[in-house]
C-alpha cells in the first residue's frame, strides 16, 4: 500500500478509514492518539479536545463508559487532505443497556498523514440486545464481516 498521506486516492483514503477503524476497535487510547498531530483539534459531540494528552483522556473516559465497543467506519468522500467518514458503533452501559451510535466525521490531515482536525457528530439509539448487528470478538473487525452498507445502515 502506498504511503497514507495527502493527497489521497480512492485506495489510500479507504485504507486510512480502515486503519482508523482498527485503531479505535483496539480501545487503546495511547495507540489511537499516535495518529493525531500533537496539537490536534477535535469537536466530538459538544466536547472540544485539543492535543494528544486530551485525546488520551477523552478516549479513556469514553471506553470506560461505552463497554464492549465495536465500530464500523465507511469512507463517504475525500479530496486533497480531507476525508469524510460515516460510522456506527454498538456498545452497552454498566447497566447492560445497549446502544447503536451513528455519526459522521470530517478529518483533515497534515503533510505527514497525521490527523490535525476531527469534527464528529453522533446520535445514540437505544437498541435491544437482540437487535445488535456487530458480533465479532472484541478487537479488529474481521475482513469478511459485513460493513455499514451491507447492513443498510
Amino acid at each position: 500500500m502506498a504511503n497514507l498521506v495527502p493527497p489521497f486516492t480512492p485506495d489510500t483514503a479507504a485504507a486510512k478509514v480502515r486503519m482508523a477503524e482498527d485503531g479505535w476497535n483496539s480501545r487503546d487510547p495511547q495507540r489511537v492518539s499516535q495518529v493525531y498531530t500533537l496539537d490536534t483539534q477535535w469537536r466530538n459531540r459538544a466536547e472540544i479536545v485539543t492535543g494528544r494528552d486530551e485525546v488520551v483522556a477523552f478516549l479513556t473516559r469514553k471506553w470506560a463508559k461505552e463497554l464492549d465497543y465495536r465500530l464500523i467506519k465507511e469512507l463517504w468522500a475525500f479530496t486533497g487532505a480531507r476525508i469524510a467518514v460515516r460510522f456506527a458503533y454498538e456498545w452497552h452501559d454498566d447497566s447492560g443497556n445497549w446502544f447503536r451510535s451513528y455519526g459522521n466525521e470530517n478529518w483533515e490531515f497534515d503533510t505527514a498523514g497525521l490527523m490535525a482536525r476531527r469534527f464528529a457528530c453522533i446520535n445514540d439509539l437505544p437498541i435491544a440486545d437482540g437487535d445488535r448487528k456487530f458480533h465479532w470478538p472484541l478487537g479488529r473487525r474481521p475482513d469478511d464481516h459485513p460493513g455499514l452498507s451491507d447492513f443498510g445502515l
Side-chain angles (χ1 to χ4, degrees):
M1 174 59 57
N3 202 4
L4 301 180
V5 299
F8 295 109
T9 67
D11 289 340
T12 60
K16 197 75 157 173
V17 171
R18 181 57 193 241
M19 191 172 73
E21 175 188 313
D22 292 349
W24 281 61
N25 276 328
S26 76
R27 297 175 331 279
D28 179 343
Q30 288 292 337
R31 172 185 168 190
V32 173
S33 73
Q34 298 306 301
V35 301
Y36 299 96
T37 61
L38 292 174
D39 61 349
T40 190
Q41 297 174 351
W42 288 18
R43 187 192 71 240
N44 194 90
R45 300 178 193 252
E47 188 170 351
I48 303 298
V49 175
T50 303
R52 281 189 188 164
D53 290 342
E54 288 187 20
V55 166
V56 170
F58 171 85
L59 293 173
T60 299
R61 287 191 316 276
K62 173 184 179 62
W63 290 319
K65 175 188 172 197
E66 297 177 354
L67 307 174
D68 291 324
Y69 174 98
R70 290 172 178 85
L71 164 73
I72 299 176
K73 290 183 181 285
E74 186 172 281
L75 176 64
W76 188 252
F78 70 94
T79 185
R82 294 180 173 166
I83 296 177
V85 175
R86 66 189 199 95
F87 63 87
Y89 61 90
E90 293 180 348
W91 59 280
H92 67 85
D93 63 19
D94 60 3
S95 296
N97 300 302
W98 280 94
F99 299 87
R100 185 172 306 119
S101 299
Y102 298 97
N104 299 292
E105 293 176 314
N106 295 313
W107 301 340
E108 185 173 60
F109 296 87
D110 71 5
T111 58
L114 295 175
M115 193 180 303
R117 299 192 320 159
R118 174 185 173 268
F119 303 105
C121 298
I122 307 167
N123 299 295
D124 301 317
L125 174 69
I127 60 173
D129 182 61
D131 292 331
R132 292 176 49 221
K133 298 181 181 298
F134 306 169
H135 294 285
W136 68 87
L138 289 177
R140 186 180 194 278
R141 177 173 56 101
D143 291 334
D144 62 350
H145 190 280
L148 294 181
S149 292
D150 299 317
F151 284 122
L153 297 177

